[in-house]
Amino acid sequence: MGEKTEIYSGIRQKTEALLKIKDMSLSFIQYTSGLRQTELKVISGLSMEAHKGEILAVVGSSGSGKSLLAHAILGILPSNAKLEGKMEYCACTLTQEKKEELRGKELALIPQSTTYLDPLMRISDQVIGSVEEENEGLRKKLQRKIFRKYDLKPEVERMFPHELSGGMTRRVLVSTAVISSAKLIIADEPTPGLDDKTLKETLSYFRDMANNGCAVILITHDIEAALKISDKIAIFYAGTILEVANVEDFKNDGEYLRHPYTRALWNALPQNKFQAIKGHQPMQDEVTDGCIFYERCSKKSEFCSKGFPNLKRVNGGLVRCNNVS
Ligand SMILES: Nc1ncnc2c1ncn2[C@@H]1O[C@H](COP(=O)(O)OP(=O)(O)O)[C@@H](O)[C@H]1O
Ligand code: SF4
Ligand SMILES: [Mg+2]
């Protein structure tokens, strides 16, 4: 990989952006009594980039819209979803048709739920996927090589999903992404329920993929797991990104972090100050015109209730806050 240093959206980068999202918003069209149509906004003003060779962790609490972001990138949103904004992949517009063409090939999802595996299909067939007859032998060979790498015994090939342990299922899902030779891998909450050893292993697979040149988006609520392997951390809150920090910014008292919420998350960790963050993340219908973190922020000024600042560059990272420069 070249050591070419470029500036993308104000954040230090060593490699090209594979995926760029600009000002994305996502709403659901809902029908209430009397067939009145309403729009429920779940993601707004979201901008981010995923770069080759890097792991970008998208960290946010439950219900903040992380899985919907993954589904929007892959083009698997429900039919009542309305998606707006710009998405580019390899510098070309990523349309719904393009997403369908690339999904499972260049774009891969490692889903949180093991229900993504077909319960009636043998593991090997699911990992290999549909492939022309003349390529079947080659794919089988490759699948065996990947299974050996991920410590999956040959008998796993003929098993059904219900016969696998949690750790094996996780490794099968990772193998599916690896065999697809995807360039962009989105792992949605891959860590809950894993013991320490499996957690470490799972995280190291993502590092391998990034080291092999993939762009990896790791979606998680677990900031500690994210800090172990990621290059950058995007702080996701109530449907948008408040900060993109480099992993090295998370140290000491959090003085290198830019947004009050990121600092509060860092200080809430048991090994730091173990200080809980007061209040709750606003629900979709509680969002106002001002800063989305206004109610919980100890640094707010009157100005902050008037509008929500855009992402701006500060010290090699990105932040949405009026009081940081
Ligand atoms: N099909 C849908 N229709 C309406 N609202 C939805 C739909 N799917 C998800 N949501 C809303 O979007 C919010 C974010 O969902 P999700 O992306 O699953 O959050 P996360 O992955 O961060 O836990 C949920 O709290 C839910 O209220
Ligand atoms: S814009 Fe204002 S309210 Fe929002 S995080 Fe910054 S200081 Fe706090
Ligand atoms: Mg989710």
Side-chain angles (χ1 to χ4, degrees):
M1 204 167 309
E3 276 295 297
K4 193 171 60 146
T5 301
E6 294 182 32
I7 305 294
Y8 286 101
S9 319
I11 188 160
R12 181 168 37 84
Q13 301 293 353
K14 286 186 181 160
T15 58
E16 322 162 32
L18 197 63
L19 176 78
K20 287 188 186 187
I21 300 178
K22 193 143 189 284
D23 212 10
M24 173 188 148
S25 70
L26 174 69
S27 1
F28 288 105
I29 309 295
Q30 295 183 318
Y31 290 93
T32 48
S33 56
L35 285 181
R36 230 164 48 93
Q37 190 178 302
T38 57
E39 230 180 276
L40 179 74
K41 203 160 219 181
V42 283
I43 295 183
S44 57
L46 183 143
S47 299
M48 62 176 265
E49 294 183 359
H51 288 249
K52 291 178 183 170
E54 280 190 353
I55 301 179
L56 170 75
V58 176
V59 177
S61 53
S62 177
S64 52
K66 304 182 300 297
S67 292
L68 291 172
L69 168 64
H71 296 175
I73 297 169
L74 288 150
I76 49 171
L77 289 167
S79 58
N80 65 332
K82 186 174 142 203
L83 181 64
E84 290 167 299
K86 263 191 177 165
M87 231 183 254
E88 279 184 9
Y89 175 77
C90 290
C92 294
T93 303
L94 191 54
T95 58
Q96 180 61 26
E97 294 70 38
K98 198 80 191 153
K99 290 174 190 176
E100 284 164 21
E101 185 192 320
L102 298 177
R103 198 188 314 133
K105 298 181 186 105
E106 293 195 24
L107 311 178
L109 175 70
I110 300 178
Q112 175 179 11
S113 169
T114 50
T115 55
Y116 274 72
L117 288 173
D118 184 335
L120 302 175
M121 204 170 164
R122 290 191 195 279
I123 295 301
S124 172
D125 296 336
Q126 307 205 38
V127 172
I128 291 175
S130 57
V131 60
E132 281 127 39
E133 223 176 299
E134 64 266 30
N135 293 330
E136 218 176 298
L138 262 179
R139 293 280 278 192
K140 188 97 200 157
K141 252 180 148 166
L142 182 59
Q143 176 250 296
R144 290 193 170 144
K145 195 170 153 201
I146 294 168
F147 271 26
R148 276 197 299 278
K149 178 171 158 68
Y150 292 132
D151 203 19
L152 289 162
K153 300 213 159 61
E155 54 267 30
V156 172
E157 281 181 20
R158 297 197 49 76
M159 288 181 172
F160 289 97
H162 73 270
E163 297 176 272
L164 306 182
S165 68
M168 283 157 86
T169 307
R170 192 64 52 209
R171 280 177 272 150
V172 164
L173 291 169
V174 171
S175 305
T176 311
V178 174
I179 204 169
S180 68
S181 48
K183 293 184 182 157
L184 176 71
I185 291 160
I186 306 177
D188 190 3
E189 298 275 11
T191 57
L194 301 184
D195 57 52
D196 273 1
K197 181 173 168 276
T198 321
L199 171 72
K200 235 173 145 180
E201 270 172 20
T202 307
L203 295 179
S204 72
Y205 303 149
F206 300 135
R207 192 68 261 170
D208 279 357
M209 292 177 191
N211 292 349
N212 287 333
C214 296
V216 179
I217 300 177
L218 169 66
I219 291 179
T220 180
H221 67 276
D222 184 349
I223 192 164
E224 288 182 273
L227 288 170
K228 284 189 183 131
I229 55 149
S230 308
D231 299 289
K232 295 202 192 82
I233 311 278
I235 302 294
F236 198 89
Y237 186 80
T240 199
I241 286 174
L242 295 181
E243 172 163 3
V244 183
N246 296 303
V247 74
E248 313 82 66
D249 299 333
F250 290 81
K251 60 183 167 200
N252 307 338
D253 277 348
E255 64 268 28
Y256 297 97
L257 299 170
R258 298 153 194 84
H259 198 280
Y261 179 59
T262 319
R263 227 170 285 138
L265 275 182
W266 174 244
N267 285 324
L269 293 178
Q271 66 272 32
N272 297 335
K273 294 186 183 160
F274 212 4
Q275 273 170 359
I277 313 170
K278 289 196 189 111
H280 67 274
Q281 181 174 286
M283 303 295 288
Q284 287 89 0
D285 55 1
E286 291 171 345
V287 171
T288 59
D289 288 341
C291 169
I292 211 158
F293 192 59
Y294 183 79
E295 291 302 328
R296 305 173 80 182
C297 186
S298 57
K299 294 211 152 189
K300 65 184 163 215
S301 50
E302 204 188 317
F303 186 58
C304 302
S305 64
K306 307 275 192 287
F308 191 18
N310 290 325
L311 265 184
K312 63 180 172 189
R313 65 180 80 180
V314 174
N315 294 337
L318 301 170
V319 66
R320 287 187 86 161
C321 176
N322 290 322
N323 293 339
V324 181
S325 53

